Amino acid sequence: MIKRIIASVVLAVFAIPVFAVTDKEMEEARTITAQAYLRYANDGSGYLDDFKATTMSQLESKLKAKEKENIKAFKSVKVPSDYASWDKAKLVEFWGVTFFTSPNLAEKGKVARSRVKQRINAMTVAAPAAKEAVKEEVKTASSVSQEVKPDAEPSPAEATPKAEEPSTPSVAEQIQEKQEDILADQDAIARDTEDRQYKKEDSGTWIYVLVLVVLIGVVVWLVVFAANMMKKQSEPLERSGAGDSGNASQARENADLRKQYTSVKAAMEEYKAAFEESQAENKRLRSDIKSLKEEIAQLKGVQEERRVASESKNAPVRQNVTRNAATELYLGRVNGRGLFVRADRRPNPGHTIYKLETRDGLVGTFHVLDMPEVADMALNNPVEYLSGGCTAIDIEDTAGAGSIITENAGTAMFENGAWKVLRKSRIRFE
């Protein structure tokens, strides 16, 4: 009976929620923050996603040279020493918000805020105060049970509470955690992209504002200068007579100054108008050049198709034998209208991206050309070379990729002298 009472007391103490941050939990939260910060600070640090560290020593033992350099800034940020009084919300607030306000951290690394909040929220903050109380209660109860000897000893299974076994996260929970990480990354990247776009637009606007301010400043200075000169010269003229030769000379000087001021003002107006006109002309020329390049590429493709058709007509016997054989064409990137900008009979380094096969010259299938030069060029700028003709899970994320694998070939149709995409090819990066 006494041991049953002791077991009840132990379970009651365990049920008391006393939350506090221990040294081990603080170290784990710091390690989570460091790993997420280093992952975003360097685009080539994708290997950090392949392991999970709980201490800084475990993390640092797996870092490469670039991350070892970046972690110096992370360690320079001071960590409070009163975290033993924190609760879980305070822990998340510090590592997910306050810590990233430090000016020593890289701006790209600060994008990791969302991931840090999510992972620290998933931590379980222990109750160290409750554990100590349980130890004291068990010790006291044990001493009491030794003094009192009951008539019948209960079985060990009744006296000793069963320890809870640590739960292992299921596969579904791990998949959900990965999905939440991906969503958090996408949100952070989207916010970072918007910030960069706003900064880029602001920088371009400020250039024009600065030029306009300089022009206005020059005009204002000329007006003030001319007004002061006219005022100084008009005072002696008012006091002197019209027949004075000295006054006549001064009047001529004043007339010359007015003429110079008028000429300078007119020149400034012409310069301003010419500057605005040149800006509009440059914008129009850039648009025309882009359109001409696309038209030239299309014309080259049409010319190549006609040459292929002409060669086929000149060899009728061979055409009868191989009329069902596939014709191979090597195409360039896809423009905004869904048209391949060029077509060649052979791979053209620096221009060829896709390989198309057709049997009737009207409809064909295409895929990314399996060549190292093509993969390097496309992976360096996937939006320019791949987004028009391919689909992928994340076509802009090519970090660490070295090759392009075609899962499903795309379909194209020859229309109005050019090959047009009907269905995009599905790819993945490896």
Side-chain angles (χ1 to χ4, degrees):
M1 186 65 183
I2 297 298
K3 290 187 177 181
R4 290 182 179 178
I5 295 174
I6 294 172
S8 301
V9 172
V10 171
L11 293 175
V13 172
F14 268 118
I16 300 175
V18 182
F19 297 102
V21 177
T22 63
D23 294 341
K24 180 179 179 181
E25 292 160 350
M26 188 66 172
E27 177 70 6
E28 183 178 354
R30 187 186 183 200
T31 305
I32 291 172
T33 307
Q35 188 170 356
Y37 168 78
L38 294 175
R39 176 65 182 88
Y40 283 92
N42 179 21
D43 294 335
S45 60
Y47 68 94
L48 291 174
D49 296 332
D50 297 335
F51 65 90
K52 182 178 181 181
T54 57
T55 64
M56 290 295 290
S57 59
Q58 292 178 359
L59 176 63
E60 292 183 44
S61 65
K62 297 180 180 295
L63 296 182
K64 296 183 179 179
K66 182 63 176 178
E67 281 62 55
K68 289 181 179 179
E69 182 68 22
N70 290 340
I71 202 171
K72 293 179 181 179
F74 180 88
K75 288 184 174 182
S76 66
V77 181
K78 186 177 180 181
V79 179
S81 58
D82 59 343
Y83 55 82
S85 61
W86 292 0
D87 57 4
K88 187 174 183 180
K90 180 67 175 178
L91 184 67
V92 174
E93 176 70 18
F94 174 76
W95 288 113
V97 180
T98 307
F99 180 81
F100 285 100
T101 59
S102 173
N104 296 333
L105 300 178
E107 290 298 326
K108 292 177 65 177
K110 293 182 180 181
V111 181
R113 291 187 293 265
S114 299
R115 176 178 285 193
V116 171
K117 288 182 180 179
Q118 182 183 10
R119 292 192 172 180
I120 295 180
N121 265 323
M123 286 177 53
T124 301
V125 177
K131 293 177 181 178
E132 294 298 328
V134 168
K135 292 180 180 178
E136 293 297 329
E137 290 292 337
V138 171
K139 184 176 180 180
T140 304
S142 299
S143 61
V144 172
S145 65
Q146 291 176 359
E147 293 176 1
V148 179
K149 296 182 179 179
D151 295 336
E153 287 284 345
S155 64
E158 296 177 351
T160 305
K162 202 169 188 178
E164 296 182 356
E165 296 181 355
S167 61
T168 303
S170 64
V171 176
E173 292 175 347
Q174 294 177 358
I175 294 174
Q176 184 179 2
E177 181 181 353
K178 289 290 184 182
Q179 291 176 346
E180 292 175 353
D181 288 346
I182 292 172
L183 292 175
D185 292 347
Q186 291 176 348
D187 293 340
I189 291 171
R191 289 195 296 272
D192 185 55
T193 303
E194 292 177 359
D195 293 341
R196 291 182 181 178
Q197 183 66 24
Y198 292 150
K199 291 179 181 178
K200 183 176 179 181
E201 293 177 357
D202 291 343
S203 63
T205 304
W206 277 108
I207 292 175
Y208 293 107
V209 171
L210 180 61
V211 173
L212 184 59
V213 169
V214 171
L215 292 175
I216 294 174
V218 172
V219 173
V220 171
W221 180 82
L222 289 173
V223 171
V224 173
F225 176 77
N228 291 334
M229 291 298 297
M230 292 176 63
K231 183 177 181 180
K232 290 180 180 179
Q233 298 299 334
S234 63
E235 291 178 355
L237 289 176
E238 292 176 355
R239 293 193 300 266
S240 61
D244 193 283
S245 60
N247 291 338
S249 175
Q250 189 67 40
R252 287 194 296 271
E253 292 180 0
N254 290 340
D256 292 338
L257 289 174
R258 292 190 187 96
K259 187 181 295 183
Q260 293 176 5
Y261 168 74
T262 304
S263 300
V264 171
K265 185 176 180 181
M268 292 298 298
E269 292 293 335
E270 292 178 359
Y271 172 76
K272 182 179 179 181
F275 176 74
E276 294 176 351
E277 184 178 355
S278 65
Q279 281 186 319
E281 183 68 16
N282 289 336
K283 185 176 180 180
R284 184 183 64 80
L285 288 174
R286 284 195 295 268
S287 177
D288 292 344
I289 290 172
K290 184 177 179 181
S291 300
L292 287 174
K293 285 182 177 179
E294 293 180 353
E295 291 178 3
I296 290 171
Q298 292 178 8
L299 289 174
K300 287 182 178 180
V302 173
Q303 185 178 5
E304 184 67 20
E305 287 293 329
R306 289 177 178 175
R307 186 177 67 81
V308 172
S310 177
E311 291 177 356
S312 301
K313 290 179 180 179
N314 293 333
V317 176
R318 185 179 179 181
Q319 183 178 4
N320 291 334
V321 176
T322 61
R323 63 178 181 271
N324 293 327
T327 301
E328 296 180 353
L329 295 176
Y330 298 90
L331 309 177
R333 65 179 181 83
V334 180
N335 63 18
R337 293 181 293 174
L339 302 176
F340 292 94
V341 298
R342 65 182 300 124
D344 301 301
R345 293 287 292 174
R346 298 177 182 85
N348 191 341
H351 297 285
T352 298
I353 300 295
Y354 303 95
K355 177 181 178 181
L356 181 139
E357 296 179 355
T358 176
R359 294 183 180 276
D360 57 3
L362 297 176
V363 179
T365 60
F366 67 93
H367 61 273
V368 178
L369 183 60
D370 187 13
M371 289 180 63
E373 298 85 354
V374 174
D376 292 340
M377 182 173 64
L379 290 174
N380 286 333
N381 194 348
V383 175
E384 176 72 15
Y385 295 109
L386 298 177
S387 61
C390 300
T391 60
I393 295 177
D394 189 355
I395 202 166
E396 296 184 16
D397 185 13
T398 60
S403 62
I404 303 173
I405 305 300
T406 300
E407 295 182 345
N408 291 317
T411 306
M413 180 180 66
F414 191 72
E415 180 181 357
N416 296 328
W419 285 98
K420 182 176 182 181
V421 176
L422 294 180
R423 179 175 58 83
K424 293 184 177 182
S425 173
R426 181 170 182 80
I427 61 174
R428 72 175 188 273
F429 303 129
E430 288 187 352

